[in-house]
Amino acid sequence: DQWSPALTLKTALLSVQALLSAPEPDDPQDAVVAQQYLREYQTFVGTARYWTESFAKASSLGVEEKVQRLVEMGFPDGLVRSTLEAVGGDENLALEKLLSS
């Protein structure tokens, strides 16, 4: 309910970037996380590392399965592998790129 036309996608992303680079535990978006940051910093860091590894990084697991699925659709193995690498392992983006070329 605080959105206004002045808040563009660019300014929203800049705000998120600022919050991520300089947390404000005294004025938190999430009180539980802020308390952990203030009282159990090592646990906070470990949790942040876990979430980053689990959900924010491209996984190299399953690459062969992705290659196999795309090869089964009729695309050449080498082209599938290079396309997957070019799109950071995202199978959907790779499929779009393969279909558009």
Side-chain angles (χ1 to χ4, degrees):
D1 66 350
Q2 298 299 315
W3 182 86
S4 76
L7 185 63
T8 64
L9 181 58
K10 180 180 178 180
T11 57
L13 290 173
L14 286 171
S15 295
V16 169
Q17 181 183 25
L19 285 171
L20 290 172
S21 63
E24 294 289 339
D26 296 325
D27 184 21
Q29 296 292 315
D30 186 323
V32 173
V33 174
Q35 290 304 310
Q36 188 179 64
Y37 181 87
L38 293 170
R39 296 185 180 150
E40 301 173 42
Y41 186 74
Q42 291 306 316
T43 302
F44 168 83
V45 170
T47 303
R49 185 171 288 116
Y50 168 78
W51 282 88
T52 301
E53 293 292 328
S54 298
F55 302 104
K57 286 190 171 180
S59 173
S60 62
L61 298 175
V63 170
E64 291 304 316
E65 291 85 1
K66 293 175 187 178
V67 169
Q68 184 62 35
R69 279 196 294 260
L70 292 170
V71 167
E72 287 172 359
M73 292 179 192
F75 300 105
D77 184 272
L79 180 60
V80 166
R81 290 180 188 279
S82 63
T83 304
L84 275 169
E85 186 176 325
V87 297
D90 186 313
E91 186 177 357
N92 292 323
L93 285 176
L95 180 58
E96 287 179 27
K97 193 169 184 174
L98 288 164
L99 289 170
S100 68
S101 55

